[in-house]
Amino acid sequence: MMIKNISILGAGTMGHGIANVFAIHGYKVSLYESFEAIRNSVIDKIKSELEFMVAEDYIDASKIEETLSNITLYDDLAEAVKCADYVIEATPENLELKQNLFKQLDELCPKNTIFASNTSSLPLSDMMALLPEDRKARTMICHWYNPAYLIPIAELSFFGNMSEEVFDEVYELYIKSEKQPVKVLKDIPGLIANRMLHALAREVFTLIEQGAASPEDIDKALKFGPGFRSATTGMLEVADMGGLDIWCTVEDNLFKELNKSDKACDMLRQKVSEGKLGLKSGEGFFTYSDDVKAKLQSDFNKRLISQLKVSKNY
């Protein structure tokens, strides 16, 4: 089977970006959204992101109308999925919701449709508990990073329920869509990327608590040290180049000093309790005035698209 028709369920933060990626690469995308306000604004949001990509010389201007013509909006779930080869649900992280949605999709979709969830935290085995065995063999996790249209990674589950043949169909879809798919072999919390991210975040937050350096300098140390190198070179490559004997000695000396806590740090929890949630509240580790918020987001996206251009060489 060749995947041609893709249905995305949920047009919010993740769903609309996923729809953008597949549509820009020529796939027919059915985008389902039950909330009228989101449904009425999502095409303008996708168009704005496409215009940004044109302005940054990543795509040609002709791609805007071509991409938008590949997306059809739906408020009727049955209509949105009736011809789907591949369905991705991008709904809230609620297990019961996802279980019931998959059960409903099993009744609405063709037998050959492959189901996927963009979850970042829920076990696949639990999400597909209400599905028959033949459908479980065509169900997976596909975890994207936000913003989906700029960050190349997509983590794809291969946990033993799916054949290599079906998995390869999906893997090829992501390759054709210029993603960097990661084949995840174990159903573990956080999959691969988020586990590495939060291991790093735990130490970063601890350094703040300890007063080891200012927030500005801690971010600088990451951006122009490990992060600078990690943008182009994997950790295992770096270890091999540095010498595993040296890494072993350093870790023997350092690991006993690193944070080993099994919950979020008190400093982070205190900020949350005070409503200091970051950009969306105007204060987190840094303070954000209303007039700079939009510029910060724009600058962030410009840095990402610059990295995306460079990453094509790796």
Side-chain angles (χ1 to χ4, degrees), residues 58-156:
Y58 190 75
I59 61 171
D60 187 79
S62 63
K63 273 288 186 181
I64 294 179
E65 289 307 316
E66 179 185 330
T67 299
L68 295 177
S69 70
N70 285 330
I71 300 173
T72 305
L73 288 176
Y74 289 92
D75 61 1
D76 184 298
L77 181 61
E79 286 296 310
V81 302
K82 68 180 183 181
C83 297
D85 299 314
Y86 186 53
V87 175
I88 299 175
E89 70 81 13
T91 60
E93 290 286 271
N94 180 290
L95 178 59
E96 185 177 357
L97 184 153
K98 292 180 188 291
Q99 287 176 334
N100 291 329
L101 178 57
F102 275 155
K103 182 180 180 182
Q104 191 176 5
L105 290 174
D106 184 52
E107 298 166 356
L108 297 174
C109 293
K111 289 297 181 184
N112 67 332
T113 304
I114 301 169
F115 294 172
S117 172
N118 184 54
T119 184
S120 60
S121 62
L122 297 174
L124 178 62
S125 57
D126 291 349
M127 286 189 294
M128 62 182 187
L130 303 182
L131 291 176
E133 293 304 314
D134 59 343
R135 188 70 81 176
K136 288 180 180 178
R138 303 184 73 81
T139 303
M140 69 189 308
I141 289 172
C142 66
H143 178 232
W144 299 54
Y145 257 44
N146 182 40
Y149 74 105
L150 292 178
I151 299 185
I153 189 177
E155 296 177 300
L156 306 179

